[in-house]
Amino acid sequence: MRVRSELVSAFVLRNARLLGQSTLGHLVDDPALLVIQVSRRLPLGVRTRGGRMLQGVGRAVPRGRGVAALGAVMAGRPSVALELLERPDRRPPGPFAAEVAVLLDREDLVVGTARASTRARAAWSAGRVGEAVAILEEAGHGDTVQARRLRSEIALMTAGADAVVARAPRETAASPDSAGRPLTVLHLITNSLPHTQSGYSLRTHNILTHLARHGIESVALTRTGYPVMVGKVLAADEDVVDGIRYVRALPSSLAATPAERLEQEVEAALRLVEELRPDVLHATTDYRNALVARAVSRATGIPWVFEARGLMEQTWIASRATPEARESAAASEKVRLLAAREGELARQAGAVVTLSRTMAEVLEQRGVDPARITLVPNGVDEELLALDLSPAEARHTVGLDLPPDAFVVGAVSALVDYEGFDVLLRAAAAIIDRDDAPVAGTLHVVLVGDGVSAPGLLQLADELGISVRVHLPGRVPREQARTWVQALDVVVVPRRDVDVARTVTPQKPVEALALARPVVISDLPALRETITGDDGTLHGEIFPAGDHERLADVLCELAADPARGTGHSRTGRATVADRTWPALMRRYERVYRTLSDDRSAT
């Protein structure tokens, strides 16, 4: 018992050290963002109340405008934050105001007197990565932790740069004897269950569990420092979830630069290679995981797969706070570097997997041989096809207390800006204002999940006067998510018309079809792909992205004609019966066996 207690104390101390290093780094790199990230771990109500309190405190103290603005951001009121930052005042706003301006993508408010570190953050946030380093060097800060980190990140993003290598040389691993041994794959991923519940982690878990049932052994390694760096100080070195082994790269101390941290992950991966002797390495978005896979492959001779689930530069552009910032970001140096780097890595991988035809076309434009691209769309569990709860029964099961005649629309989703749920709220307000709308008196919106947009959605509902009709229950356990989908009369996916939404296919529409729920989507290529049958038939309703009036029309039409929604539900469920995870595993097996056989033949 004493030995065990000492071991537990040792790993807790190590984790506390890692968390402390990470927190200190964030304080230096971006203090305002650190506060926001910590606040997102809080329940939505606590987060918004805390933001309002911080706003009041900031208003009450000298030079507290930055603190007040940060509180407004926490409370989902970015327009109030900007008013505070833009307000003329004889007193200087204080250095923290510039930090919040960076957070809001308002580089024009980062005055020339701001510290070099803040001006460099502003340039980096806008995608002018080389300029960010130049600002620090011109100010005599070229040897600071911030400057070294930025130079390291630029090297990671730069095509042709060998920024990540195996620290110690390895003899090329011999091709393992396959007799009586299952095909084995080492997956290199960013995050995972049980610490992160997202579309990324759920797809990963579905793939790994169904590969195991298909006879393919899988072990996953997450990025250096995860999950301790996201606040899980009691995290263990491994987690086993539904029989799947998730290994953590938790060194005794975090390396100083991003490239060195990836090399720490390489070393952790090489230890697993010695233990598992995998046939294939499988790196999943983004390019940093691919860099690790490439380094391990070069050190061992094991072939590697790159699964591109998204395009990192598009996701980054969509995260910018304003249309002007998104336009500027799209033309930035960072975007050019990321696109070139991910294209290079995709070309170098032994095989490429992606989710949609639209993403495959982008990869082909980047020079990837179409013959090396395998499509593995989002799948569904077979058991979903047999579930048959009515909306009323599902609402009772999850404890959603609404009137019996409620017409409930919404989604189970991450609440981020490009998902476009503000469009849904405006559509709901338009319906409620229509005297002749069939559901004006019974419409309710339910958005299950959390994210950066949650406080703003609550604020918007209040401004529209529909707060009593909008319900945000927050995050729910993954085993309850499907019941929440069944609690909806219509699932709405109102994504904005941004590049990431045009190319990346979400899981939500596929699962909704499997659960026999009518689906309404923005008319975007990737979304159309999710509800289109092999014969080209659409098994759902569409509306122009961003057009809340047309969305209101579609919802009213479905409410007035229940048979229309029922028809979509019936044919949609039949369509996704061919997209079950067990069926999709055969595609992965073909990729793995081809690479493994090619290796054995050389």
Side-chain angles (χ1 to χ4, degrees):
M1 291 294 292
R2 180 178 176 182
V3 172
R4 176 178 177 140
S5 176
E6 289 176 350
L7 289 173
V8 170
S9 297
F11 97 75
V12 170
L13 285 172
R14 177 205 63 192
N15 288 0
R17 182 167 56 251
L18 294 176
L19 181 60
Q21 287 180 298
S22 176
T23 302
L24 180 60
H26 282 299
L27 274 173
V28 172
D29 288 345
D30 202 333
L33 181 59
L34 175 63
V35 175
I36 294 298
Q37 288 177 331
V38 171
S39 76
R40 288 172 189 162
R41 305 287 188 272
L42 303 173
L44 181 56
V46 174
R47 188 156 84 233
T48 53
R49 288 194 296 273
R52 293 186 186 118
M53 184 180 301
L54 193 62
Q55 186 179 335
V57 170
R59 287 178 183 272
V61 300
R63 305 186 70 189
R65 270 194 286 161
V67 174
L70 184 62
V73 174
M74 284 176 56
R77 306 170 72 187
S79 60
V80 173
L82 286 173
E83 287 174 9
L84 287 164
L85 296 177
E86 293 172 337
R87 187 182 67 198
D89 197 316
R90 286 177 299 177
R91 295 175 300 177
F96 200 66
E99 302 288 350
V100 180
V102 173
L103 186 66
L104 293 169
D105 286 328
R106 285 295 301 273
E107 191 177 0
D108 58 302
L109 297 176
V110 181
V111 294
T113 56
R115 293 174 297 189
S117 60
T118 304
R119 288 185 282 114
R121 271 195 289 279
W124 186 273
S125 179
R128 303 193 308 278
V129 295
E131 181 182 327
V133 174
I135 289 170
L136 293 173
E137 291 175 342
E138 290 169 5
H141 299 165
D143 197 38
T144 61
V145 171
Q146 182 185 16
R148 291 195 298 273
R149 179 183 66 77
L150 296 187
R151 280 194 290 266
S152 177
E153 286 202 39
I154 290 172
L156 291 180
M157 287 187 280
T158 301
D162 284 333
V164 180
V165 297
R167 293 182 181 179
R170 295 290 202 279
E171 292 184 7
T172 301
S175 180
D177 181 6
S178 61
R181 178 182 179 278
L183 192 67
T184 304
V185 181
L186 174 59
H187 295 257
L188 300 163
I189 60 177
T190 300
N191 55 49
S192 78
L193 299 176
H195 303 293
T196 298
Q197 182 172 311
S198 64
Y200 180 100
S201 64
L202 291 172
R203 176 179 165 98
T204 299
H205 193 66
N206 277 318
I207 290 169
L208 269 57
T209 53
H210 287 90
L211 282 174
R213 294 171 191 172
H214 197 70
I216 298 172
E217 183 177 322
S218 293
V219 173
L221 176 69
T222 49
R223 72 182 187 273
T224 298
Y226 176 86
V228 174
M229 290 171 65
V230 296
K232 307 293 184 178
V233 72
L234 298 180
D237 290 342
E238 294 189 15
D239 289 290
V240 178
V241 182
D242 300 330
I244 301 303
R245 184 180 169 199
Y246 292 103
V247 182
R248 313 303 178 190
L250 297 175
S252 59
S253 180
L254 286 176
T257 68
E260 290 169 339
R261 291 182 186 182
L262 288 187
E263 288 177 350
Q264 288 180 315
E265 187 179 335
V266 168
E267 291 304 303
L270 287 170
R271 290 192 292 272
L272 282 172
V273 165
E274 292 173 0
E275 173 193 343
L276 302 170
R277 295 176 61 79
D279 301 278
V280 177
L281 306 169
H282 184 144
T284 296
T285 292
D286 58 40
Y287 73 99
R288 288 166 290 202
N289 295 328
L291 286 170
V292 172
R294 187 180 70 173
V296 174
S297 177
R298 287 176 172 177
T300 62
I302 299 171
W304 65 287
V305 177
F306 184 21
E307 179 165 329
R309 295 187 191 170
L311 301 168
M312 187 178 181
E313 76 282 357
Q314 292 184 0
T315 304
W316 175 72
I317 291 168
S319 72
R320 302 299 86 201
T322 65
E324 295 77 15
R326 289 191 286 274
E327 182 179 357
S328 176
S332 70
E333 178 189 9
K334 179 175 181 177
V335 164
R336 293 194 298 274
L337 288 174
L338 287 174
R341 182 57 128 176
E342 292 212 329
E344 173 197 50
L345 290 165
R347 292 191 299 272
Q348 292 176 351
V352 177
V353 172
T354 194
L355 280 64
S356 68
R357 185 67 251 161
T358 52
M359 286 189 63
E361 290 170 357
V362 173
L363 291 168
E364 291 169 17
Q365 291 167 6
R366 294 180 178 179
V368 181
D369 182 354
R372 294 174 46 249
I373 300 174
T374 298
L375 293 185
V376 184
N378 286 315
V380 297
D381 289 328
E382 289 177 300
E383 61 188 58
L384 267 62
L385 300 171
L387 297 179
D388 200 26
L389 279 182
S390 70
E393 291 169 330
R395 292 199 277 268
H396 176 74
T397 300
V398 299
L400 184 58
D401 186 16
L402 295 177
D405 63 344
F407 183 73
V408 185
V409 303
V412 178
S413 172
L415 304 183
V416 295
D417 287 343
Y418 70 79
E419 293 289 356
F421 291 121
D422 60 312
V423 178
L424 175 57
L425 295 190
R426 294 183 191 282
I431 291 171
I432 292 168
D433 284 343
R434 295 179 183 178
D435 294 334
D436 59 344
V439 289
T442 59
L443 180 70
H444 287 259
V445 178
V446 174
L447 298 173
V448 182
D450 201 353
V452 296
S453 295
L457 292 171
L458 285 179
Q459 179 70 22
L460 178 60
D462 186 57
E463 292 171 1
L464 294 171
I466 60 171
S467 293
V468 295
R469 305 284 195 94
V470 176
H471 313 272
L472 273 65
R475 294 185 180 93
V476 299
R478 62 187 176 97
E479 59 272 12
Q480 290 183 14
R482 61 189 56 177
T483 310
W484 279 96
V485 174
Q486 292 176 288
L488 304 173
D489 291 290
V490 179
V491 173
V492 184
V493 187
R495 285 188 163 185
R496 295 187 177 281
D497 188 2
V498 294
D499 284 344
V500 67
R502 296 180 66 83
T503 56
V504 178
T505 51
Q507 182 75 23
K508 296 182 289 292
V510 182
E511 289 191 344
L513 293 177
L515 290 166
R517 287 297 177 267
V519 177
V520 178
I521 64 167
S522 302
D523 189 8
L524 300 172
L527 290 181
R528 269 183 171 263
E529 195 169 331
T530 63
I531 67 167
T532 302
D534 293 338
D535 61 354
T537 301
L538 287 178
H539 300 287
E541 300 286 337
I542 62 175
F543 72 97
D547 188 341
H548 71 273
E549 289 288 353
R550 181 56 193 143
L551 174 56
D553 293 340
V554 170
L555 292 174
C556 287
E557 290 163 9
L558 284 172
D561 184 6
R564 181 169 165 179
T566 301
H568 284 317
S569 302
R570 183 176 59 254
T571 60
R573 176 173 262 189
T575 295
V576 298
D578 294 330
R579 302 184 203 171
T580 62
W581 287 117
L584 295 173
M585 291 308 100
R586 291 192 286 272
R587 305 186 189 189
Y588 282 115
E589 182 179 18
R590 284 195 294 272
V591 171
Y592 296 154
R593 292 207 179 278
T594 298
L595 291 179
S596 181
D597 291 346
D598 288 348
R599 180 190 178 201
S600 298
T602 56

